[in-house]
Amino acid sequence: MSQQGYVAAPPYSQAQAGIGGYSAGFGGPPPQSHYGVYGSPPQGYSAPPTGALKPPASSSSGMPTPPVSGQYGANIQQNGAHTHSFPPPVASASSMSAYGQPPQSAFHSMAQAPPPTQQLTNQMSAMNIGGYGQRPMQAPQSPSSSAAPQQFQTSPPAAMGHPPLSPPGQQLPSLGSPPPMGMSGPPGPGVHQPPLGPQGYPQQPGSPMSGSYGAQMAGPQMAGPQSGAFPGGFPGGPAQMAGPPQKKLDPDSIPSTTQVIEDDQAKRGGQVYVTNIRGQVPPLVTTDYTVQDQGNASPRFMRCTTYSFPCTADLAKQCKVPLATIIKPFATVPKNETPLYVVNHGETGPIRCNRCKAYMCPYMQFIDGGRRYQCGFCSCVNEVPAQYFQHLDHMGRRMDLYERPELSLGSYEFIATLDYCKNNKPPNAPAYIFMIDVSYNNIKSGLVKLICEELKTLLDRLPKEDGAEASAIKVGFVTYNKILHFYNVKSALAQPQMMVVSDVAEMFVPLLDGFLVNFQESRAVINNLLDQIPDMFADTNESETVYAPVIQAGVEALKAAECSGKLFIFQSSIPTAEAPGKLKNRDDRKLVGTEKEKTLFQPQRGVYEQLTKDCVAQGCCVDLFLFPNQFVDIATMGDVPSHTGGSIYKYSNFQVEANGQQFLSDLRRDVEKSIGFDAIMRVRTGTGFRATDFFGAVYMNNTTDVEMAAVDCEKAVTVEFKHDDTLSEESGAVMQCALLYTTIGGQRRLRIHNLSLNCSSQLSELYKSCETDALINFFAKSAYRAMLNQPLKTVREILVNQTAHMLACYRKNCASPSAVSQLILPDAMKVFPVYMNSLLKTPALVGSTELSTDDRAFYRLLVNAMGVEETQVLLYPRLVPLHTVDVSSEAIPAPVRCSEERLSESGIFLLENGLSMFLWLGQACPPDLVQNLFGVPSLGHLSSEGPASLPVLDNAHSRKIHSIISSISQQRSTSMKLLIVKQKDRAEMLFRQHLVEDKGLHGGASYMDFLCYVHREIRQLLT
């Protein structure tokens, strides 16, 4: 069956002047644009009107430079001036040059084009935008007589589900899964048809489009004489444009992420998602749902790029959709869902397949009256151990099916036996070691005092086993600058004792007994120590620090105590003191944009490589808190944390008043979060495919074992699969992730997550069950790994090519036949281009000398460990209007599209992406609102830099905004400092770079331009 996705017609295909610079307010009357207006010299993909393609103005724009015409074939137009059958505007070259076609090229394939009027009609009818707002829209219907050339048919209302009416002889797209919007493109000059406003009510002719989807696309389909002849176009058009009058493109007509999120929430929000069906697509990460495990792991633990794998390697190669799963083995389970069951098989340990070693799970088939079982992964037939035997019912299922989690659930835990422990003896409880840099910078900024004060109360909240009285975790303390100071805090001592190790080249731990202690027992001595540390170093003028020896000391201490654990390192500067792992400033922005740019992100090898190995072997995780004032080589300093399951936090130019709260809430969350230590993960699959690649904060010693010194509730591992044989449609594809780890109470356990997917020989099934958010997580991680070995330009080109390939394959194999000029996107991937374009504009990939190397390296390491929900909001931030908030309701207002034109001067908007949070204040923001939120009569009373924080005031508005901010903060894994920016202030640039649908500040196309570019690439591939 042909499956149609999201169709968006002509706008992608016109020769338009200056598509590189849409005005910032696509429909607003005076185009107050930061990015140039129509008719201004094109900035995006401009080309001389000779048919040869000129590379875009700057290669840093994030777009690969299109090859010269020789390769493209000069008759394929850039960004498709498709075979428009009405005559092109008789225009100066400038109006055509945006896509660089000589005017006559519009006719290059007249041979196969249907008659002019009809083709335009077809395009119009095909402009049903599928998948948007399923509200029934009544479109006034024009008489459907193909004999009346003046009239363009519109399809009947979606609610009626008829196929669009079409002139004889040309099959029109029948929109698949989602019912099409009833309104097709703009009616032609012959029909006066009131365009639909927001809820399907006719709008006043001539009024600017409201934000309703499926409202007509006022695109320049009718560039040329008809322009302006149909109602609903934008006011203020022709006056400020060079060349003939043209209609502006309506941004509402291209797929909207906020709409997709809203639709999914409306359709699946608040529901129970039951995991008993193979290959079902879960709700989006942004949707609020409850999971009931009935045989497949919850999507909180595992999400896939597609839930229907292609049966053969050839199909997989053809569609270029990566087959991957993002696994978050320790994901937090909400309070209203059942926590994982722990299964104890006693001395014998978990039941496993003899051949492939998969653990007992719902995919095992019991046969022979229950005496044997066939493995669901490798099909080997195994004997059932006597103590595990159970009779089968008339359906061939075990009688105890629902009493055993491992037979009926997708996720559960086994208690591991001694065979699964190091040296066959039970592990000790882990330890947390706090290592504080007491060099001049940290003392002077007040950081050391802040940490010491916080630890006094924080250590009471160390994580503990469910049901345990107190935490079993031991704690230890080290301070350091050029040398290391260890502290004996044994409970029997009256005063803590300090021991100094100044030979940092041969690191050893000077004391065994009394270094790692139980906080409850040694509380008095520890508090005494924490009071003394800031005073002890108050007069220091030592500004040099070491780093590698600090980690080495931590590993040695854990080795001596025979336990795993975590180091909390608080460091402010690059380690320049003479010691192993000494670093020099290698920041060189001249390398940006060259072949050698990749070296900026490669860690310094040697000492750090060995340290990573030592840490992983010992189960020592490193969390690094950085407080830099200048370059600190995050690429190298973050290398050990990012391979040991650790986290990196960065507070540039730290000041206690400004950043203290943000740092403390990160530290609290980091100490309290649920975590497992000394972990090793193996992903097993059914026959026909296997796991080939792993991305995450992990260490790989061989090709199958994913080693993590620690794994917490925020860390995700992205696993790519490849075929090694044919998969069968009836048995599907099964996978099992097994994680062996030590709990915070010192117990060895196995955590098992199982997932079964469909297999299909139809590509349409694969595209139907894709998940955009998971796909972009995979692409981000694979691009961020590739940039260590390839020039950024190449990495960006690969991303764009793969995007075009995936969409072209859909167009060719799954969509109904339609005009080449249409961009047709699979419904499940219709917003994929906006995420991909956003990824190309991320600091790591954009390649601009204005961005600091450390920021780019930091961003790269962060994304590497992220799960699907984190990459989703990072690449498409939430922009929430707060000026219209209903103070009496609990809900957070619906977000708007992430673009400058959604801002209004009289509004207040909150933007967050999981790392940063901004409160943007429009210039004309109402005085009573300013009074309620800031306690001052107008914006003029706020400092030019914007106030440092949002005061808590006693009024409904202030309380509501604070509650919105706090509920958003609770959903995120790191704490976000709120930055308040006023429109037109200097700080506004920081805010603007997160408006991902607009042009990037440091290069990179707008969403609209990128869509046009990709559309051109797709047409290129299809011809």
Side-chain angles (χ1 to χ4, degrees), residues 173-255:
S174 65
L175 287 173
S177 6
M181 301 292 294
M183 172 85 184
S184 57
V191 185
H192 176 89
Q193 186 184 13
L196 302 180
Q199 300 291 337
Y201 297 113
Q203 232 178 254
Q204 290 310 307
S207 67
M209 279 328 314
S210 322
S212 80
Y213 297 99
Q216 58 154 323
M217 224 161 170
Q221 286 83 336
M222 304 189 166
Q226 302 103 317
S227 161
F230 59 88
F234 288 107
Q240 74 272 7
M241 298 183 195
Q246 286 183 322
K247 287 291 167 216
K248 292 187 179 173
L249 214 55
D250 174 10
D252 279 342
S253 58
I254 54 177

Side-chain angles (χ1 to χ4, degrees), residues 945-980:
E945 290 301 308
S949 63
L950 188 63
V952 181
L953 302 175
D954 189 18
N955 65 64
H957 238 112
S958 180
R959 282 191 292 272
K960 176 66 185 167
I961 305 289
H962 276 283
S963 93
I964 289 175
I965 290 172
S966 91
S967 77
I968 287 177
S969 304
Q970 278 160 16
Q971 298 168 14
R972 304 293 174 226
S973 52
T974 48
S975 102
M976 300 177 282
K977 177 172 181 267
L978 180 68
L979 278 175
I980 298 170

Side-chain angles (χ1 to χ4, degrees), residues 873-884:
V873 73
L874 185 66
L875 294 171
Y876 199 91
R878 248 203 304 198
L879 182 62
V880 182
L882 294 182
H883 46 287
T884 52

Side-chain angles (χ1 to χ4, degrees), residues 372-424:
R372 304 194 305 168
Y373 68 92
Q374 184 171 20
C375 174
F377 296 90
C378 68
S379 305
C380 170
V381 174
N382 298 269
E383 296 292 325
V384 173
Q387 77 281 5
Y388 198 68
F389 174 76
Q390 178 61 263
H391 293 286
L392 307 185
D393 65 9
H394 65 287
M395 308 267 291
R397 295 181 308 192
R398 282 174 58 121
M399 307 290 271
D400 61 356
L401 178 71
Y402 293 108
E403 291 151 38
R404 291 193 176 272
E406 75 274 22
L407 298 180
S408 54
L409 298 178
S411 301
Y412 41 87
E413 294 201 313
F414 289 119
I415 301 237
T417 54
L418 291 179
D419 308 345
Y420 294 89
C421 304
K422 267 190 194 154
N423 311 327
N424 289 7

Side-chain angles (χ1 to χ4, degrees), residues 136 141 156-163:
Q141 222 169 301
M160 293 161 55
H162 297 307

